[in-house]
Amino acid sequence: METQTLGTGHPTAKRPGNPTLEDLAVAAGVSRSTASRAINGGYKVSPQARAAVDRAVAALGYIPNQAARSLVTRRTSSIALVIPEPDVRVMMDPFFAIVITGISEALRETDMQLVLLMSRNDDDSSRALRYLRGGHVDGAIVVSHHKADSWAKSLAGTGLPIVFIGRPWDTSIDVTYVDTDNYEGGRLAAHHLASTGRKRLGTIAGPADMTVATDRLAGWTEGLREAGLQQGPVAHADFSTAGAQEAALRLLDDAPHLDAIFAASDLMALGVMNALIAKGYSVPDGVALVGYDNHAIAADTAVPLTTITQPIAAMAAKAAELLLQKLDDPAIQHPPFIYPAELTIRASTPPVP
Amino acid sequence: METQTLGTGHPTAKRPGNPTLEDLAVAAGVSRSTASRAINGGYKVSPQARAAVDRAVAALGYIPNQAARSLVTRRTSSIALVIPEPDVRVMMDPFFAIVITGISEALRETDMQLVLLMSRNDDDSSRALRYLRGGHVDGAIVVSHHKADSWAKSLAGTGLPIVFIGRPWDTSIDVTYVDTDNYEGGRLAAHHLASTGRKRLGTIAGPADMTVATDRLAGWTEGLREAGLQQGPVAHADFSTAGAQEAALRLLDDAPHLDAIFAASDLMALGVMNALIAKGYSVPDGVALVGYDNHAIAADTAVPLTTITQPIAAMAAKAAELLLQKLDDPAIQHPPFIYPAELTIRASTPPVP
DNA sequence: TACTTTCATGGGAGCGCTTCCACAAAGCGT
DNA sequence: ACGCTTTGTGGAAGCGCTCCCATGAAAGTA
């Protein structure tokens, strides 16, 4: 390492920049303490002092220095959304977009800001961890949590309030999470397909290292059992269209006589549809198809998609809300919050002719 | 389980919080100054002192308090990505996902973190502005900039380094931006459709208050002129599938004899396709279709989509890179950085029979 | 009137960190 | 030997803010 850092210009010796609280106080003709109080809710501040400060704020365009503030308050007014996903494709899943907007919505009326933290590998994930532990944020929401991720354990020790979206693997320690009823979603898919008269059902499940995927699969399996159908073939994919397409091709090689497929996400259902068409199956009469998420695109495909609808935005908003509560009272305990899944029937699952 | 016992281990007495630099120094047997130097690159620190500090860091799990650090350095090690979009649907555009990943990629080797700032209306946008000016971030990247947004003006005064993705409206003040050649993209679309023998061409353009949209439209218009075709009908939509679908229906009402449509995004092309099918047109033989972006989905639609490919990730990464340079040297001037657009031909634009 | 209680205020002590500065200890020419 | 620079070091001064506390004024109570 050369001595590059110190060589170049030093950071603006005198700061004509933003006015400080001191400047504000002088301009308002009060003390720094009073100015501070006036700014922070005005408790124990006379109306005239408060008005003077307000005027000075406007005149100077005063904006508090957040670093100084959080140095003493130990609050940063921002929370992190941790997305431990390595791949661009996964980020494109509308799931994340909805989660982000859901959280934003919940944060609207607060002064909290959302910091997006994407980690890609062990290296980065420790970097992300450093960030979280460095006092950068007051709390974190973790989404798309994989089995190998050690967020729960690593963060539990730090005392950083944290809420998971989607049940984490390790629920032994006290973790707060919100989720949708993925088990029931899988079950609904199985029952619905059975009710249309399909007999040979397969599924493209999500990654085996995510509870959201295993739960849907478990529900699906149970649904098949309840319907008196035999267990069909299962292939795992990564929730992406391309991944599912490939998985579906494998699945169809192994089990060419399927008459229905349940894909654990709408994006994956698209991939399955591509695979089916490529293989010459007719959809939906030859092979029926059920997706998951009720993504906007599900209604607009060539064959509109029957799918499992889940309130992702509400769930994300709830996660944010729970986190805010935890920030308020770190000792608070939240039971898991599970949203229902429901079936949305479209053209991709007609009754058997 | 109502037991309020403190079963979960917590050494949280009063403030066992993170160890401070002072603690570190004591543990390493050096002064606070030396510990600080050792941590920050080790300039003018003896190897043994440095080793001692490193050991102490590991032993204590020391992580610097970012607030204290940035209070004095006036650096926060994070930059904001500002997305002035009010609507969930827009967030779902893969464009943003790619931008985010592109920026993340560029930031990988730095210790910079990305803060996502979404603003929804005037109220929030001033909140976002406060955030930016509050010393929360070292710089900002603004994407999806609308005409009415006053980011450029508002931020120019603060001295906050800022880079736009997509040419901003007001380039009078010195703004840095990266973009793709939207004009050329529009032109390519027109020329390609003309070359297939289409004569009556319409377009679904993006919002009239975004340069990215007006540039594509201008290029399209010029392309038509160059090809000797008459100007066709134009409808504007908001880059969403649903919006484009509606716009396309209007467009087709006004001009039912179109034999080709250029949609200014792939998502909008999907909407156009839906509208065409709903209206009983045959795609692509009756009406050819060109999209924009080359989104993953463009290749997977029922009729694979001819589209304009643009290097969004590269552009976003470049924006981040330029911003980092500006952080290093605020005085640096960057000329606009424009990436090329290129045509990707698929099945949606066959030659006229 | 004398007293307690409330309220508003400013002084001052940090929060944890970087960095200026003085200073001692080498290095190294002559 | 002598100056001279180079290097490593610790002390101390803040960065801008919050908040405890002492102080005095106003208001309530006797």
Side-chain angles (χ1 to χ4, degrees):
Chain A
M1 308 299 165
E2 296 305 317
T3 65
Q4 46 179 357
T5 39
L6 300 202
T8 52
H10 54 86
T12 343
K14 203 53 190 172
R15 192 73 186 181
N18 292 335
T20 124
L21 184 60
E22 186 71 49
D23 302 337
L24 218 218
V26 170
V30 298
S31 73
R32 204 172 58 247
S33 312
T34 302
S36 174
R37 270 180 236 115
I39 284 173
N40 298 293
Y43 177 63
K44 283 195 176 176
V45 177
S46 67
Q48 47 278 39
R50 162 138 214 186
V53 172
D54 285 351
R55 243 177 288 119
V57 166
L60 271 59
Y62 173 76
I63 291 177
N65 179 312
Q66 192 56 37
R69 179 174 274 180
S70 57
L71 179 56
V72 37
T73 60
R74 294 164 178 291
R75 282 276 199 137
T76 64
S77 294
S78 49
I79 64 173
L81 174 61
V82 180
I83 304 182
E85 282 297 345
D87 201 331
V88 186
R89 292 177 306 174
V90 186
M91 254 305 294
M92 277 187 220
D93 197 309
F95 177 82
F96 294 103
I98 302 177
V99 163
I100 291 173
T101 49
I103 295 174
S104 299
E105 196 55 43
L107 260 35
R108 282 204 73 167
E109 298 304 322
T110 73
D111 61 344
M112 287 284 169
Q113 279 295 341
L114 187 61
V115 177
L116 204 63
L117 218 53
M118 274 175 299
S119 67
R120 322 187 124 231
N121 53 32
D122 291 338
D123 196 32
D124 274 22
S125 112
S126 77
R127 193 163 73 102
L129 215 56
R130 284 174 56 90
Y131 186 86
L132 292 175
R133 300 191 52 199
H136 252 299
V137 294
D138 297 334
I141 296 175
V142 177
V143 70
S144 193
H145 177 254
H146 292 255
K147 195 167 193 171
D149 298 331
S150 50
W151 295 102
K153 273 169 294 185
S154 305
L155 287 174
T158 71
L160 223 221
I162 178 168
V163 173
F164 285 82
I165 290 181
R167 178 167 54 83
W169 281 97
D170 189 353
T171 51
S172 63
I173 49 179
D174 169 48
V175 291
T176 299
Y177 69 92
V178 299
D179 206 344
T180 62
D181 195 340
N182 291 300
Y183 182 88
E184 184 61 16
R187 235 181 115 250
L188 282 173
H191 279 286
H192 172 61
L193 285 171
S195 76
T196 65
R198 312 278 163 173
K199 304 288 186 195
R200 296 176 304 281
L201 317 185
T203 183
I204 304 294
D209 68 344
M210 297 181 68
T211 56
V212 54
T214 55
D215 287 358
R216 287 176 195 174
L217 181 55
W220 164 260
T221 303
E222 172 63 10
L224 290 184
R225 202 189 57 72
E226 288 170 354
L229 296 173
Q230 63 178 339
Q231 299 301 323
V234 176
H236 288 273
D238 63 355
F239 279 131
S240 78
T241 300
Q245 184 162 347
E246 196 185 320
L249 291 175
R250 287 200 313 270
L251 192 79
L252 291 167
D253 281 343
D254 291 352
H257 302 305
L258 293 180
D259 60 6
I261 296 180
F262 165 48
S265 84
D266 288 339
L267 252 46
M268 294 212 296
L270 245 53
V272 173
M273 188 147 4
N274 292 337
L276 286 170
I277 290 168
K279 283 244 171 190
Y281 291 85
S282 84
V283 181
D285 292 322
V287 179
L289 195 52
V290 173
Y292 209 111
D293 284 344
N294 199 10
H295 173 28
I297 209 138
D300 291 338
T301 44
V303 179
L305 205 58
T306 292
T307 190
I308 308 294
T309 304
Q310 50 178 351
I312 302 175
M315 177 176 65
K318 188 70 186 181
E321 190 190 310
L322 294 182
L323 185 58
L324 291 176
Q325 286 176 15
K326 283 190 123 170
L327 297 185
D328 226 42
D329 173 14
I332 203 168
Q333 304 268 344
H334 289 111
F337 211 99
I338 312 294
Y339 286 84
E342 69 187 51
L343 183 67
T344 298
I345 300 176
R346 297 205 183 87
S348 69
T349 55
V352 187
Chain B
M1 287 276 197
E2 294 299 318
T3 35
Q4 298 283 8
T5 46
L6 357 125
T8 53
H10 62 96
T12 315
K14 184 54 188 169
R15 285 234 355 245
N18 294 334
T20 123
L21 184 60
E22 184 72 48
D23 302 336
L24 218 218
V26 170
V30 299
S31 73
R32 204 168 57 246
S33 315
T34 301
S36 174
R37 272 180 233 114
I39 283 173
N40 298 293
Y43 178 63
K44 283 195 176 173
V45 176
S46 67
Q48 46 281 40
R50 166 146 208 178
V53 172
D54 285 350
R55 243 178 287 120
V57 166
L60 271 59
Y62 172 76
I63 293 177
N65 179 312
Q66 191 56 38
R69 177 175 277 179
S70 58
L71 178 56
V72 38
T73 60
R74 296 163 176 292
R75 284 276 198 136
T76 64
S77 295
S78 51
I79 65 173
L81 173 62
V82 180
I83 304 182
E85 284 296 346
D87 201 330
V88 185
R89 291 177 306 174
V90 186
M91 255 305 295
M92 277 187 220
D93 198 310
F95 177 82
F96 294 103
I98 301 176
V99 163
I100 291 173
T101 48
I103 295 174
S104 300
E105 196 56 41
L107 260 36
R108 283 202 71 166
E109 298 304 322
T110 73
D111 61 344
M112 287 284 170
Q113 279 295 340
L114 187 62
V115 177
L116 203 64
L117 218 52
M118 274 175 298
S119 66
R120 322 187 124 230
N121 53 33
D122 292 338
D123 196 32
D124 273 23
S125 110
S126 76
R127 193 162 73 101
L129 215 57
R130 284 174 55 89
Y131 186 86
L132 292 176
R133 299 191 53 201
H136 254 298
V137 294
D138 297 335
I141 296 176
V142 177
V143 70
S144 192
H145 177 254
H146 292 255
K147 195 167 194 171
D149 298 332
S150 49
W151 296 103
K153 274 170 294 185
S154 304
L155 288 176
T158 70
L160 222 220
I162 178 168
V163 174
F164 285 81
I165 290 181
R167 178 168 54 83
W169 281 96
D170 189 353
T171 50
S172 63
I173 49 179
D174 168 49
V175 290
T176 299
Y177 69 92
V178 299
D179 207 344
T180 61
D181 195 339
N182 291 299
Y183 183 88
E184 184 62 16
R187 232 180 117 253
L188 283 173
H191 279 286
H192 172 62
L193 285 172
S195 77
T196 65
R198 313 277 163 174
K199 303 289 186 197
R200 297 176 304 281
L201 317 185
T203 184
I204 304 293
D209 68 342
M210 296 182 68
T211 56
V212 54
T214 56
D215 287 359
R216 287 175 196 174
L217 181 56
W220 164 259
T221 302
E222 173 64 10
L224 290 184
R225 203 191 55 71
E226 290 170 353
L229 297 174
Q230 62 179 339
Q231 298 302 321
V234 176
H236 288 273
D238 64 354
F239 278 131
S240 77
T241 300
Q245 184 163 347
E246 196 185 320
L249 291 175
R250 288 199 313 270
L251 192 79
L252 292 167
D253 282 342
D254 291 353
H257 303 305
L258 293 180
D259 60 5
I261 296 181
F262 165 49
S265 85
D266 288 338
L267 251 46
M268 294 212 296
L270 245 52
V272 173
M273 186 143 11
N274 292 337
L276 286 170
I277 290 168
K279 283 243 172 195
Y281 292 84
S282 83
V283 181
D285 293 321
V287 181
L289 193 52
V290 173
Y292 208 112
D293 284 343
N294 197 10
H295 173 29
I297 209 138
D300 290 338
T301 45
V303 180
L305 206 58
T306 292
T307 189
I308 308 294
T309 303
Q310 51 177 350
I312 301 174
M315 176 176 66
K318 188 69 186 182
E321 191 190 310
L322 294 182
L323 184 59
L324 290 176
Q325 287 175 15
K326 284 191 120 168
L327 297 185
D328 223 43
D329 173 14
I332 202 168
Q333 303 267 345
H334 290 112
F337 212 100
I338 313 294
Y339 286 84
E342 69 187 49
L343 182 68
T344 300
I345 301 176
R346 298 205 182 87
S348 70
T349 55
V352 185

